[in-house]
Amino acid sequence: MRALWRVLKLLLGASPKAMARGAALAVTVLLMGVALLGLSGWFITATGLAGLAGIGIAFNVFQPSAGVRLLALGRTAARYGERLLTHDATLRALAALRVDLLRRQARAGGRALARLRSEATLTRILADVDALDGLVLRLALPVFAALLTHAVVFAMLGWLAGWPVALTVAAIYLPLAALVLALLARSGMAPSREGEREAQALRRGMIDMIRDREALILGGQLAARETALRAGDQRARAASGALDRAERRAGARLSALVALSVAGALVAGGWLAQAGGLDPARAAIGIFVALALAETVLPLRRGFAELGRMVDAASRVDPGASAPGDDREGQETERAEAPILSIDRPEARFTLNRGEALALEGPSGVGKTTLLLRIAGLMAGEGIAIAGHAPENWTEGALRARVAMLPQRSALIAGTIRDNLALAAPEATDDTLLQALQVVALDAVVRDRGGLDARLGESGAGLSGGQSRRLALARCVLRAPDLLLLDEPTEGLDLETATRVLDNLRAALPDSAILATLHRGGDHVIFTERLTISRP
């Protein structure tokens, strides 16, 4: 529950003024509804009593009827404003939650980010943020508005209809409604969690089936996969049905509570009227006010029914939790006598010292990329030592300062070329950035596009595949790592450009150890050794 409170604090703090205005309008709507029904009840009762007494012609009907119309129109306008402001504030709050979540993930290390790169995790994050939209709209604001409305109504009812009536209504409503809603939250905890879990599994299963449909058809597994998805759908429906039944039971109990409160107000008001302490018209106010207060508790059912879903979602996106990075006290000192890289695995055995370069060759699918990922600490693996220590024994910061990797898929962002290079060297000068671009033979391309301030689209749109890879390689050059891992660095380049890039790379990083996986170009002069990797 602490995580839920922290998420709620973040949501409310994202747009506090809009939330406060929305809450004020929510209270206004409830108070106007209570006042409308209370005034209408008094008006009807007083008019009837005046007619029975034969003084109906002298009764002023204009002011009460004007008040009824004012409250009805005001309530409608306040309801519209309340919906507009609270929904707008909630959308702003969810945007702030997404930004906070992304910031924490951005601070995570490479190992944690590698674990996040799965469809299940991304789908889970999106669903968790969506689940929390009801935390404000269905739970926090309605509960706050209900409690404040009951406090104001208690005071006004005690003044107009007598304190016995006010105490009776409050004593029935507040404790019994809290009990009913607590029971609903408890009974709905498991089915709301189960329903959300099964819904996510069903969504992922559908995506997987559509993506792998050809393989499933060829393997004769399509019918079995469909049967499994139908079973998951049935489980999700069963959990949803259990939650709906719990909510309906709570609705029936709350309706009975409203009837009991109306009966209590009738008895208390009748007793005061019979004792002569209150006229019958004012005694009727308590009855109608008790009936109108149903609007404060009945809408709370859905929020309390989905509390389990919200608690689970909040525990995963908890803003008070640390980023899923690397909190271990890792090794940060290299062994002076150890090589920069030492590999002793079934598929390959070699060492790399400063200034050496090795070309790793082999057919596709043999595991060259996997080996690079293990060396970079993005996948677990034994038999790997960087400066004498296994990758997992280095802290995230120390490992990234020592090792840089160029993957097959270039990771570029929408923005300027300077923005993309600044990811590796935020404080680098323009001259330094241009020198890095010259190393990867991209300086002329950038100059023709308008220089470092030339803008790129999403994922580097505007550059060719080879140009995108060279821009990502320029970031590695800016890091000047002790160990540079290159996964097919010359892919998409003509022979002349590939030769130029490799020559410049060694000249710019003379002391760096370079390990490159290649389909071609392994005979280049910069590579002091070539090794063909075998299947482990």
Side-chain angles (χ1 to χ4, degrees):
M1 294 299 289
R2 291 182 179 179
L4 195 67
W5 283 112
R6 284 192 286 265
V7 171
L8 179 59
K9 182 179 178 181
L10 174 66
L11 295 177
L12 294 178
S15 185
K17 292 183 179 179
M19 285 290 185
R21 290 193 296 266
L25 285 176
V27 174
T28 301
V29 168
L30 293 177
L31 288 175
M32 282 189 167
V34 172
L36 176 61
L37 204 54
L39 178 59
S40 300
W42 173 86
F43 186 30
I44 294 171
T45 306
T47 303
L49 292 175
L52 290 175
I55 58 171
I57 193 172
F59 185 76
N60 184 2
V61 299
F62 297 104
Q63 290 181 349
S65 61
V68 169
R69 284 191 288 271
L70 175 63
L71 290 172
L73 293 175
R75 183 176 180 274
T76 302
R79 174 67 75 185
Y80 175 78
E82 179 261 335
R83 291 294 172 88
L84 186 65
L85 286 176
T86 54
H87 282 73
D88 177 70
T90 301
L91 291 175
R92 293 175 184 269
L94 292 177
L97 179 61
R98 290 186 179 95
V99 170
D100 177 81
L101 183 60
L102 289 174
R103 281 176 177 167
R104 286 188 284 123
Q105 298 298 347
R107 290 194 296 267
R111 301 182 182 98
L113 291 176
R115 289 194 296 269
L116 285 175
R117 291 183 61 185
S118 69
E119 296 168 355
T121 304
L122 294 176
T123 303
R124 178 76 270 170
I125 290 174
L126 292 174
D128 286 341
V129 174
D130 290 340
L132 292 170
D133 66 351
L135 182 58
V136 174
L137 289 177
R138 296 177 180 173
L139 205 59
L141 285 182
V143 169
F144 168 78
L147 291 176
L148 188 56
T149 299
H150 274 273
V152 174
V153 167
F154 176 76
M156 295 302 296
L157 199 57
W159 175 53
L160 292 173
W163 294 109
V165 175
L167 288 170
T168 300
V169 172
I172 294 175
Y173 255 109
L174 294 180
L176 293 182
L179 177 61
V180 170
L181 294 173
L183 291 174
L184 173 60
R186 182 177 179 182
S187 61
M189 194 74 71
S192 64
R193 286 173 169 169
E194 180 67 18
E196 179 65 18
R197 203 159 38 237
E198 291 296 339
Q200 290 303 313
L202 181 62
R203 185 179 294 114
R204 293 194 300 269
M206 286 293 297
I207 294 173
D208 291 341
M209 188 178 74
I210 293 173
R211 182 187 58 195
D212 303 333
R213 60 187 181 278
E214 294 180 359
L216 292 173
I217 292 172
L218 293 174
Q221 299 296 317
L222 188 61
R225 181 65 62 87
E226 183 180 354
T227 301
L229 290 177
R230 288 183 181 274
D233 180 58
Q234 290 299 322
R235 291 192 296 270
R237 290 175 182 271
S240 179
L243 187 62
D244 288 340
R245 287 191 294 273
E247 187 179 351
R248 286 197 297 270
R249 286 194 299 269
R253 291 166 181 164
L254 290 175
S255 297
L257 181 155
V258 173
L260 181 62
S261 178
V262 170
L266 175 62
V267 172
W271 175 74
L272 286 175
Q274 187 177 13
L278 194 67
D279 64 85
R282 291 173 64 186
I285 292 177
I287 301 171
F288 288 94
V289 166
L291 187 61
L293 286 174
E295 191 179 6
T296 64
V297 295
L298 290 176
L300 298 176
R301 292 173 297 165
R302 176 51 61 175
F304 278 88
E306 293 183 349
L307 187 59
R309 179 187 177 210
M310 296 179 192
V311 170
D312 277 3
S315 66
R316 285 185 288 265
V317 300
D318 182 7
S322 59
D326 192 357
D327 297 328
R328 294 174 293 103
E329 293 292 333
Q331 178 61 253
E332 296 191 18
T333 348
E334 66 174 299
R335 295 176 182 171
E337 73 282 1
I340 293 297
L341 176 64
S342 176
I343 302 294
D344 185 10
R345 292 181 54 81
E347 66 268 30
R349 290 178 174 84
F350 61 89
T351 60
L352 269 180
N353 293 298
R354 293 183 182 276
E356 295 181 345
L358 186 146
L360 204 59
E361 299 177 329
S364 296
V366 78
K368 302 188 297 298
T369 298
T370 301
L371 180 59
L372 293 188
L373 292 173
R374 295 186 193 280
I375 296 171
L378 301 178
M379 292 180 64
E382 298 179 351
I384 301 172
I386 297 174
H389 303 286
E392 58 269 18
N393 290 337
W394 290 92
T395 61
E396 183 69 23
L399 183 63
R400 298 304 153 218
R402 189 172 296 273
V403 180
M405 178 176 174
L406 175 71
Q408 289 187 16
R409 297 178 61 184
S410 305
L412 301 179
I413 61 173
T416 64
I417 292 177
R418 179 185 283 105
D419 293 336
N420 279 273
L421 294 175
L423 294 174
E427 299 179 0
T429 63
D430 286 1
D431 289 340
T432 303
L433 299 181
L434 290 172
Q435 289 173 6
L437 292 173
Q438 187 175 8
V439 170
V440 298
L442 206 60
D443 51 327
V445 174
V446 172
R447 187 167 52 250
D448 293 341
R449 293 180 60 91
L452 294 172
D453 292 322
R455 298 197 65 82
L456 302 177
E458 193 70 30
S459 301
L463 296 177
S464 67
Q467 291 170 346
S468 297
R469 289 180 58 74
R470 280 184 281 162
L471 183 57
L473 179 58
R475 287 201 300 240
C476 297
V477 173
L478 289 168
R479 297 292 302 275
D482 293 337
L483 174 62
L484 179 59
L485 306 175
L486 305 175
D487 197 357
E488 300 294 346
T490 59
E491 190 69 22
L493 303 180
D494 59 77
L495 181 59
E496 181 182 354
T497 304
T499 302
R500 179 184 171 190
V501 168
L502 292 176
D503 287 339
N504 292 347
L505 196 60
R506 174 44 81 201
L509 303 173
D511 297 326
S512 297
I514 299 176
L515 176 62
T517 67
L518 296 165
H519 280 120
R520 59 182 177 85
D523 55 350
H524 192 278
V525 68
I526 75 163
F527 295 111
T528 56
E529 187 178 354
R530 296 168 64 184
L531 178 67
T532 301
I533 190 172
S534 60
R535 292 187 181 275

